[in-house]
Amino acid sequence: MDVSLWSLLIGPLTEFGFMRRALVGCLALSLSCAPVGVFLLLRRMSLTGDAMAHAVLPGAAIGYLIAGLSLPAMTFGGVVAGLLVAVGSGLVARSTVLREDASLAAFYLISLALGVLIVSTRGSNVDLLHVLFGTVLALDNGALALLVGTAIVTLLALALLYRPLVLECVDPQFLRSVSRLSPVAHYGFLCLLVINLVAGFHALGTLMAVGMMVLPAAAARLWVRSLPALMALATGLALAASVTGLLLSYHVEWPTSPAIVLCLGAAYLASLVLGRNGLWRGGARSARRHLQR
């Protein structure tokens, strides 16, 4: 390989420890967040993922208030806050005239405002930026262990719950009528969503973590239809965008988390135009079907 090409693409990832650690963290996030994002997409819950990403903020902020930038405290607080918002919005939807999307929006707006208030009043601007946009280039051993552990737990849980999750995406009423696994699949998936958002929060920040879920899944859906291919392609796109974003942030000196999410956004926009089910090819097929009628 040409020396200049090596220094441009490979050198930063092999010569610097912080780049290697960021690469491992992004690999773990890609393996866990992208498959969860596929099920979010199929269940029409993409905006729910965005709401939950904001909902973990006050718990993480309270953990920060108690113990500073402590990984265990912020992780525990984020998981508790996310689960409380998920369960609370469901209970409100079942007990009042409000639908679940309205109650979830109300909870997440309150959570976001409370979390930003706690961090901004009791910490510095640097702390607030750390919470909102993450520090993927400063991952330590504890954060890497959390990301890798989350990826392992997520993949094992998805393997165990694969069939009921697929059935719930296709026909939740049928699953409830023939199996007792419906609540296990539903609440188990919400737990996976929360722990992945909390893990992504430590690397990419609250405002960017959900991008690792939604954008790869949406881009992959424009190319393939089968679920296994969808999960594999989404994971591949997430990893490719992570590597590209890391290299861009190194060479151009951009913030890393936004650079990664913008690379995911570029992949989505390209898929939207060029994908098999995108505007160009999909639109051409629709026009042909219309003329045939």
Side-chain angles (χ1 to χ4, degrees), residues 12-158:
L13 299 176
T14 58
E15 294 176 10
F16 300 102
F18 67 92
M19 291 292 287
R20 291 195 298 271
R21 300 167 79 83
L23 180 62
V24 173
C26 288
L27 172 61
L29 277 178
S30 301
L31 289 173
S32 61
C33 288
V36 171
V38 168
F39 283 103
L40 270 180
L41 182 73
L42 295 178
R43 293 159 63 104
R44 296 182 175 91
M45 292 175 61
S46 297
L47 290 179
T48 300
D50 182 60
M52 294 301 299
H54 295 83
V56 304
L57 182 56
I62 292 173
Y64 163 79
L65 186 64
I66 295 173
L69 293 175
S70 167
L71 180 69
M74 295 178 72
T75 299
F76 179 76
V79 170
V80 170
L83 292 177
L84 285 176
V85 168
V87 175
S89 61
L91 290 176
V92 169
R94 287 168 175 79
S95 306
T96 68
V97 296
L98 290 178
R99 296 180 60 180
E100 190 166 9
D101 59 341
S103 61
L104 183 62
F107 272 99
Y108 107 77
L109 287 170
I110 295 170
S111 298
L112 176 61
L114 179 61
V116 171
L117 180 66
I118 292 173
V119 177
S120 59
T121 55
R122 300 303 297 267
S124 65
N125 290 333
V126 174
D127 295 329
L128 181 60
L129 289 175
H130 168 85
V131 169
L132 295 179
F133 299 107
T135 54
V136 69
L137 293 182
L139 296 176
D140 55 17
N141 290 336
L144 281 180
L146 174 65
L147 293 173
V148 173
T150 300
I152 293 172
V153 169
T154 299
L155 293 176
L156 290 175
L158 289 178

